[in-house]
Amino acid sequence: MTFLPYKKIHAIWLGLLNLVLVSLTQVCLAQLDTAELEVTVSDPSGAAVSGAKVRVENSANGFLREVTTGEEGKARLLALPPGTYTIRVEARGFKRVEIAALPLTVGQHAQVLIRLQVSPLSQALDVLVAAANSVETTRHAVSTTIDQTAIENLPSNGRNYINFTLLDSAATRDNQPILAPAPTSGLNINGQRARANMVSIDGVDAIDNTVNGVRATLSQEAVQEFQISKSGYAPEYGRAASAVINIVSKQGGNQWRGDLFGYLRNRHVSATNAFAGGPDPGDTRTQAGFTFGGPIRRDKTFAFLSFETTQGNAIAFSQIGRDHYGFQPVPNPFGLGPASLLLTRQQADFVKTASSELGLSYAMLANQAAQVALYGNTPGGPSSFALVPNPLPSSFQGLTSEAGNYRTTEETYFYSARIDHQISTNHRVFVRISASPSDLTGIPSNGQNQLTALNAFSRTTNSSTRDFVVASELSSNLTPTWISEFRFQYAR
């Protein structure tokens, strides 16, 4: 057995430690659902002020972080939850500066420049700044942020907040065929199909990794904001050939707040669908829900609940079978057989101009074929083929059973509960439980790019999904420059 010298063993352990630190550095970069702030502090001459105390606080939920500036007068604060912050800067011999309201959004890398003023008094005076403009000079990703103001105030058809991505000029609706069992975001970004997008909620996946379809997410009322990173984003976002959509859910604050909403579209007050072909094709849709959140323990523990349901009952129109598939009863001009024949206009014209023998044979054959095609295996209809007496298969259904409009229904629910806890100034944790049972009927299948109106009821499908998620995150500020983020998700 060969023993390694102590110095060599020591070198190996140092190498392993460096490898772990490099790995941790990469993990620390993966701030998918947070923001980053860099504060630069200088004196009136522009020289850096080191040792200045920088305090960042979100009064809505008691989040607090304190750091000091280095030799270059910079203080970097990582993994800040999106929100509105108050920044206070103090340094000996200078007036204290306070920025009252600085909004930080998901994925933002904000830089704020603060120039202190000398205080002739032993006790520094306050300099209040109502607002400050932040810049982003280090972020290389091309991205767009949809904030809470847009989500709450812009109109949305169906309350699908992901469609707000269309506010970005690089986004259009995806024109790929719809596969009901594996829905996508429906967004074409930079010319890439929708399945090339990556969607995450609170830093964890919200996709089905087998087909890259988007799973059920959250109620629109439970979304704080989201960011669309189109190109140039860091590798930790990963697994996306097109864009990355990062969604941040709402959390409770120091005040109890709630929303109650409802939407009703009733068939009796809606205009008739001109394409439906009926006097009153029912279309009733109800969407309703609520949110409620607040402090369990002020500045420490918060809860946020959301619920939304969609109930739909409509008639989907179909052109299949309109005008009786073109067949019309025509008086039999030959006096033999049935009194009327079921023929198309072109067939009737041919019968009139053909010789009696040819016209009679053709008319009888065409009529029998039409009877089988339209009424085969239906009550009172033929049960055998036209030319041979063989019985029709039991699976054969006459086209009349496929004609006309058909009913569609929807019953969808979104449940979500989130608990946030501030363990200490440097440690916070949250747990979110979400569930979304959904049942839909009459979904048109256009896997062959066939127009919806050309689909019969037999070309529709039903979809029943049960989506359940438990997501958690522990964020720790180990040092002013080291952040640890541990995420866990169980999703079925």
Side-chain angles (χ1 to χ4, degrees):
M1 183 178 295
T2 303
F3 294 93
L4 295 175
Y6 170 77
K7 290 184 177 180
K8 192 169 184 178
I9 295 176
H10 185 63
I12 292 174
W13 277 108
L14 285 178
L16 292 174
L17 179 60
N18 287 330
L19 179 61
V20 171
L21 290 177
V22 170
S23 301
L24 284 175
T25 302
Q26 297 303 317
V27 173
C28 289
L29 290 175
Q31 302 172 59
L32 303 183
D33 59 338
T34 57
E36 179 181 316
L37 175 64
E38 183 179 282
V39 179
T40 302
V41 182
S42 62
D43 62 16
S45 67
V49 177
S50 62
K53 183 179 178 181
V54 180
R55 175 190 174 101
V56 176
E57 182 178 9
N58 186 342
S59 59
N61 55 24
F63 180 88
L64 176 65
R65 185 80 58 80
E66 293 182 345
V67 295
T68 56
T69 57
E71 294 181 358
E72 298 181 351
K74 296 181 182 294
R76 191 179 182 190
L77 298 101
L78 307 175
L80 297 177
T84 301
Y85 288 86
T86 298
I87 302 177
R88 179 179 295 178
V89 178
E90 299 181 43
R92 182 180 296 274
F94 294 93
K95 296 179 180 179
R96 181 170 54 199
V97 174
E98 182 174 301
I99 298 175
L102 178 69
L104 295 179
T105 59
V106 57
Q108 186 176 8
H109 295 246
Q111 291 91 38
V112 174
L113 306 178
I114 296 179
R115 180 162 292 187
L116 301 179
Q117 300 178 19
V118 176
S119 174
L121 304 179
S122 58
Q123 183 177 5
L125 301 177
D126 289 344
V127 178
L128 300 180
V129 181
N133 294 323
S134 61
V135 296
E136 295 184 79
T137 61
T138 60
R139 188 175 70 176
H140 48 76
V142 179
S143 60
T144 300
T145 300
I146 308 299
D147 59 18
Q148 192 170 347
T149 302
I151 295 175
E152 289 182 348
N153 294 282
L154 291 178
S156 171
N157 183 12
R159 294 179 52 79
N160 185 1
Y161 60 89
I162 291 293
N163 286 333
F164 291 138
T165 303
L166 297 172
L167 295 171
D168 192 297
S169 59
T172 60
R173 296 190 185 279
D174 189 45
N175 59 1
Q176 294 292 323
I178 298 173
L179 299 177
T184 68
S185 62
L187 300 172
N188 180 310
I189 301 177
N190 288 332
Q192 298 286 337
R193 61 182 302 184
R195 293 196 189 279
N197 298 327
M198 174 67 184
V199 180
S200 69
I201 303 178
D202 296 327
V204 294
D205 292 358
I207 62 171
D208 179 351
N209 288 310
T210 55
V211 294
N212 221 42
V214 176
R215 300 198 331 266
T217 55
L218 298 169
S219 164
Q220 179 172 312
E221 296 295 316
V223 175
Q224 178 173 330
E225 60 188 48
F226 64 95
Q227 181 190 55
I228 310 105
S229 295
K230 296 169 287 186
S231 63
Y233 44 80
E236 60 262 20
Y237 290 90
R239 292 178 295 123
S242 180
V244 175
I245 301 175
N246 294 321
I247 303 168
V248 177
S249 65
K250 287 183 181 179
Q251 67 179 72
N254 277 326
Q255 293 183 346
W256 288 102
R257 297 179 181 271
D259 291 308
L260 182 66
F261 63 92
Y263 168 80
L264 172 63
R265 181 175 64 198
N266 190 275
R267 59 181 295 181
H268 298 297
V269 294
S270 300
T272 300
N273 190 326
F275 298 97
D280 188 14
D283 187 359
T284 299
R285 184 180 182 87
T286 303
Q287 287 183 267
F290 70 88
T291 63
F292 188 63
I296 298 177
R297 182 182 175 189
R298 188 174 178 84
D299 290 336
K300 278 289 186 180
T301 308
F302 312 93
F304 186 86
L305 305 176
S306 72
F307 167 79
E308 181 173 341
T309 181
T310 300
Q311 307 287 328
N313 194 333
I315 299 296
F317 64 90
S318 172
Q319 295 292 329
I320 299 294
R322 293 289 172 89
D323 300 325
H324 217 55
Y325 293 95
F327 292 99
Q328 299 296 331
V330 177
N332 188 346
F334 303 104
L336 299 175
S340 63
L341 304 174
L342 199 58
L343 303 175
T344 65
R345 182 175 58 84
Q346 293 83 356
Q347 289 173 336
D349 292 341
F350 175 78
V351 169
K352 292 178 182 179
T353 58
S355 63
S356 298
E357 183 178 355
L358 177 61
L360 175 62
S361 300
Y362 178 80
M364 295 299 110
L365 176 61
N367 175 69
Q368 292 175 356
Q371 295 289 342
V372 171
L374 294 182
Y375 305 109
N377 279 351
T378 61
S383 58
S384 62
F385 289 100
L387 295 179
V388 293
N390 294 341
L392 295 172
S394 59
S395 59
F396 184 92
Q397 296 294 327
L399 290 175
T400 53
S401 64
E402 300 293 335
N405 301 328
Y406 53 88
R407 182 186 177 191
T408 66
T409 63
E410 178 180 0
E411 186 176 0
T412 302
Y413 300 91
F414 291 99
Y415 303 92
S416 179
R418 172 168 171 162
I419 300 293
D420 290 80
H421 179 63
Q422 188 82 13
I423 302 174
S424 66
T425 304
N426 295 324
H427 304 276
R428 63 183 182 88
V429 64
F430 82 81
V431 177
R432 175 175 54 83
I433 301 176
S434 303
S436 179
S438 176
D439 295 286
L440 293 85
T441 66
I443 304 173
S445 175
N446 61 350
Q448 299 174 354
N449 268 357
Q450 190 169 358
L451 295 177
T452 300
L454 297 181
N455 280 325
F457 177 71
S458 61
R459 284 181 58 83
T460 66
T461 186
N462 299 337
S463 175
S464 294
T465 61
R466 302 293 183 267
D467 195 296
F468 179 76
V469 174
V470 178
S472 179
E473 176 182 304
L474 172 63
S475 179
S476 300
N477 184 24
L478 303 179
T479 71
T481 57
W482 284 89
I483 291 292
S484 169
E485 290 181 329
F486 173 79
R487 297 188 182 94
F488 169 82
Q489 176 179 228
Y490 170 81
R492 178 178 175 85

